[in-house]
Amino acid sequence: SYFYPSLKIHKCKKEDLVPGVEPPIRLITALQDGVSKRSDVFLADKLLRQLERDFCNDLLLDTNDALLWLDEVNESIDHNQKRLLCAFSFDYKALYDSLKPELVIEALTTAMEENREEWSPDLKRWVLDLTNLSLKSAVGQFNGTHYRQRKGVPTGGSLCVQLANMTVFYIMRKEVYSDQSLMAKIKTLK
């Protein structure tokens, strides 16, 4: 595996976008040659992608899904009420670096318990074991030296997006969605 930068140009202020600017980067671990590549692809394609959709009921899958949701909101709320609404979104600073592997496993366990009753305990344990292996095997090479991720979860693997989405939903549901005072004025969310 190797590392490559992902430019975070959207984090720059408009006035800072001048020739020669060095935008912040996120270092991605390219895991397509990693030891867990084949099991990661299998888990992502055959098990976790649909589990993610079933568990994360606020997940927007793509731009079309977002547009359909916005149309639904537009049609279900009258004009005067819409004028009073405030829309907002969350952006997590250094999301992948901030996710503790133990929390990811906790979220995945909850997702399987709630949405995959038909899966045997052995299958669930196998999924957790392979996920743990994937999280621990994010090793990249730079200038002939191997580096292991010190905190968070890898950003460049087949499981990364599904695991991050399930973990964020798990945290949001546990800490925000379940708090009546925080949700009192929320009309809809995705």
Side-chain angles (χ1 to χ4, degrees):
S1 297
Y2 58 92
F3 302 107
Y4 64 91
S6 174
L7 299 177
K8 305 292 281 181
I9 196 88
H10 62 283
K11 300 288 184 180
C12 293
K13 294 178 184 168
K14 189 175 182 179
E15 59 270 14
D16 293 337
L17 292 175
V18 295
V21 68
E22 292 186 17
I25 65 164
R26 167 168 287 133
L27 202 56
I28 307 291
T29 308
L31 297 173
Q32 61 264 30
D33 296 325
V35 297
S36 63
K37 181 228 183 215
R38 293 182 86 157
S39 60
D40 288 359
V41 170
F42 176 84
L43 283 177
D45 290 348
K46 302 294 184 191
L47 300 172
L48 295 188
R49 190 163 290 121
Q50 190 58 51
L51 176 62
E52 170 197 28
R53 290 178 181 160
D54 294 343
F55 182 62
C56 304
N57 56 18
D58 68 346
L59 184 65
L60 291 171
L61 302 175
D62 56 27
T63 305
N64 288 335
D65 194 27
L67 292 174
L68 289 172
W69 176 69
L70 289 171
D71 284 344
E72 181 182 308
V73 169
N74 189 44
E75 292 170 8
S76 65
I77 300 175
D78 72 52
H79 178 71
N80 291 327
Q81 192 176 19
K82 278 188 261 189
R83 294 177 59 189
L84 302 173
L85 295 178
C86 296
F88 63 93
S89 65
F90 291 102
D91 183 18
Y92 300 92
K93 183 176 181 179
L95 173 63
Y96 290 91
D97 294 338
S98 303
L99 292 177
K100 294 181 179 178
E102 304 82 34
L103 183 61
V104 171
I105 295 300
E106 183 180 323
L108 178 57
T109 300
T110 300
M112 290 190 296
E113 287 173 0
E114 293 179 7
N115 294 276
R116 294 297 181 267
E117 293 176 10
E118 71 279 7
W119 288 4
S120 71
D122 287 340
L123 176 59
K124 292 175 184 176
R125 193 170 22 265
W126 180 72
V127 169
L128 292 172
D129 288 345
L130 286 177
T131 301
N132 266 317
L133 173 66
S134 178
L135 295 175
K136 291 177 182 173
S137 66
V139 176
Q141 184 179 12
F142 180 72
N143 286 342
T145 303
H146 289 87
Y147 296 90
R148 171 174 272 155
Q149 187 151 341
R150 290 189 300 182
K151 64 180 186 169
V153 298
T155 54
S158 300
L159 303 179
C160 300
V161 172
Q162 287 96 2
L163 293 175
N165 284 340
M166 285 189 275
T167 305
V168 168
F169 176 77
Y170 174 74
I171 293 166
M172 292 295 291
R173 187 178 73 173
K174 188 175 175 181
E175 301 298 329
V176 177
Y177 301 163
S178 63
D179 186 326
Q180 295 291 334
S181 64
L182 292 174
M183 298 301 292
K185 295 184 179 183
I186 303 295
K187 297 289 183 195
T188 184
L189 57 93
K190 278 284 181 187

